[in-house]
Amino acid sequence: IVCTHLSIPVNVLIRPRGGDFLYSDLEMEVMLADIAAVKEAGANGVVFGVLKADGSVDVAKTKRLIDCARPMSVTFHRAFDMTSDTEAALDACL
């Protein structure tokens, strides 16, 4: 509804729950479905972040979400601040 009433780009936070940024397979399926729904609704982009237990970016899961989001814009969110190595995390995100 927001996308139809605003003339500015809308980027939607994709997050199935609060807490950490380690997501199960079921949570990933929810996130993929949410991305598909906001894409259909006309969102400009999505915002998310996925980490592994060691504090590194979960590149495989992040890639799945990015692939689903295309051609929308993607922003890796606050999960970045929780990484164990910000330089490695930045490289992983690029």
Side-chain angles (χ1 to χ4, degrees):
I1 293 175
V2 170
C3 295
T4 62
H5 293 290
L6 294 177
S7 60
I8 60 171
V10 175
N11 288 9
V12 179
L13 178 64
I14 303 296
R15 189 146 188 227
R17 59 165 172 75
D20 64 31
F21 303 104
L22 287 73
Y23 297 116
S24 69
D25 290 341
L26 179 58
E27 290 168 327
M28 282 294 295
E29 293 306 316
V30 169
M31 293 171 79
L32 290 164
D34 288 349
I35 290 170
V38 300
K39 184 191 293 188
E40 179 70 24
N44 178 69
V46 290
V47 181
F48 57 77
V50 185
L51 302 179
K52 293 181 179 180
D54 67 1
S56 64
V57 173
D58 191 323
V59 175
K61 287 183 177 179
T62 298
K63 183 176 179 343
R64 283 184 65 201
L65 296 173
I66 290 171
D67 288 346
C68 180
R70 290 188 192 280
M72 295 187 298
S73 73
V74 173
T75 302
F76 195 92
H77 69 31
R78 172 175 127 53
F80 184 85
D81 297 334
M82 306 302 289
T83 61
S84 55
D85 181 342
T86 55
E87 287 186 29
L90 181 59
D91 288 341
C93 288
L94 296 177

